[in-house]
Amino acid sequence: MALMVLSLATPLLSACSKNSSDTQVDLDSYQWAIFTSTYRNTGILPSPSSGYAIFVRDDGSYDLVSHSGMDSGEISWTQQGVHYADTNGEHWITKQGTTSVKGNRIDLMDGLVTLSDGLTRVGVYNGGRWGKKYHEEVVVSRPGSSVHHKLETVGFYPMISACGDNVYTAYSKASEVSNGRFIFDQIVDKGAVKHRNLNTQSMPSSEFSFYANDAPCAQNRIYFIGSFTIYDGAKPTGDTKLAPHMGRCPGGGEDECALALVVADANTGRLNWLPVVNENGSSEKFSSESASEVGLDAHSLNEKGKLIWISGYGVLYETNVENGKTTVLNDALRKEKQSEDSKFIYHFSSDKNTVTVLVEDSRDSFAAPRIVVFDKSSGKIIKNVQIKGLKGKISDSQVIRDIASNPQ
């Protein structure tokens, strides 16, 4: 079926045939693309997955494109067009037309990155544990083609980063009695899948936690935010620079923790880290929940070489990558009045000049989601757009996963 644009807030039919390009979506008329999907089916009885790509205009009106679902799925928008994957394969919407390439996919995505041509996407999918090995799947996609590889790994990849035409991944292993480990791999070399471990490093903590899908890379250095924790009773080797800022988990509880700016050398896989501190050199404290929901992406380094990111509280930060000093760019989202039982989720996307945050109330995701756009240098809010009328058009079984902006 060709993909057809219908009237406002009416679902579009998804393209499902290879190289179908007889109908064109006018991408220039939209400002943002949002990916939604149901959770993967882990029950005994089969249940179909589903989802939408939501194309949103500047005034909050939208059109929908249906797809077959992808848990934790992501959507990417570059000058070369929009790309996303579902359980049936890869989907492209470009100015030249619409293309879908069929191919079965694991229904849980770890991440999606773009190579230097702005066209080639690398998707990583979580195959789960099989015996003593963990399985990840890597798909290298371009319009009209899709190359699929299976990898045996130690665990799933919470960090994925593209440095030019190379892709690097990482995961960590915790220890209840001693130092944890950081495992740094390369999975794509010059655009082709090549899996090798570059480094396995002992950490000065029991656990090193991070979620840095599509982490930024500059001059072969990858930047992301992580937290270091010492389990109660464990005696890991300390680090004098980091020790005063490490969190502790007495009795398995979760206290407020400090965060660190982490830098990975893509050539060697070696890590360096700097505590995230304020201008006075004191640790900025975050709840474990807020720390685990840090948002950043491949464009998070601004023109001054500072890292722009958002916490789970909705605070937009700027961190100096030379010393870890961190300032608040904007905390308007945190200051908004919320009831005690409300839980807001902040979906992050950025480009050269702006940061886009999709604000979702998890109690009712489609009731009143809105898009807030910040100036990347000053932190000033330059757009605040509510998406109109999603409630009732999309099933409550679906979840907002990701947002991308038109790179005009």
Side-chain angles (χ1 to χ4, degrees), residues 117-156:
D117 60 4
L119 179 69
T120 305
R121 267 62 160 196
V122 178
V124 182
Y125 300 85
N126 192 325
R129 185 168 299 282
W130 294 79
K132 295 182 178 181
K133 289 291 186 179
Y134 210 92
H135 284 191
E136 293 279 84
E137 297 193 4
V138 178
V139 180
V140 179
S141 303
R142 299 175 183 87
S145 69
S146 180
V147 182
H148 189 188
H149 297 262
K150 294 183 179 180
L151 310 180
E152 286 190 347
T153 66
V154 176
F156 83 101

Side-chain angles (χ1 to χ4, degrees), residues 107-124:
D107 57 358
L108 178 60
M109 178 177 273
D110 282 338
L112 179 69
V113 297
T114 304
L115 301 189
S116 64
D117 60 4
L119 179 69
T120 305
R121 267 62 160 196
V122 178
V124 182

Side-chain angles (χ1 to χ4, degrees), residues 329-330 375-380:
L329 272 181
N330 195 300
D375 180 271
K376 200 171 183 179
S377 296
S378 68
K380 180 181 177 181

Side-chain angles (χ1 to χ4, degrees), residues 133 151-155 157 167-173 181-188 194-201 265-270:
K133 289 291 186 179
L151 310 180
E152 286 190 347
T153 66
V154 176
Y157 291 123
V167 178
Y168 301 93
T169 53
Y171 40 86
S172 61
K173 298 282 284 184
R181 290 182 297 148
F182 176 74
I183 298 98
F184 187 87
D185 290 354
Q186 181 176 9
I187 60 171
V188 172
K194 181 179 181 180
H195 184 212
R196 58 179 179 145
N197 174 247
L198 291 180
N199 184 47
T200 298
Q201 182 173 345
D265 187 317
N267 294 314
T268 65
R270 294 290 300 175

Side-chain angles (χ1 to χ4, degrees), residues 387-402:
I387 305 173
K388 306 169 184 177
L390 279 177
K391 181 70 173 177
K393 298 293 192 304
I394 297 179
S395 167
D396 290 338
S397 65
Q398 292 197 31
V399 180
I400 295 173
R401 305 293 189 177
D402 192 28

Side-chain angles (χ1 to χ4, degrees), residues 30-97:
Y30 303 103
Q31 188 60 45
W32 303 284
I34 298 168
F35 191 92
T36 74
S37 67
T38 52
Y39 288 105
R40 69 188 311 202
N41 178 27
T42 57
I44 297 175
L45 297 177
S47 61
S49 62
S50 62
Y52 287 104
I54 309 171
F55 289 89
V56 184
R57 302 179 184 88
D58 245 337
D59 63 357
S61 62
Y62 62 90
D63 290 306
L64 302 177
V65 177
S66 64
H67 59 75
S68 66
M70 175 60 65
D71 198 347
S72 298
E74 298 179 18
I75 192 163
S76 172
W77 196 339
T78 69
Q79 294 288 351
Q80 284 72 28
V82 171
H83 168 269
Y84 60 90
D86 62 12
T87 57
N88 289 331
E90 312 291 320
H91 302 281
W92 299 81
I93 302 173
T94 71
K95 293 181 179 180
Q96 289 70 44

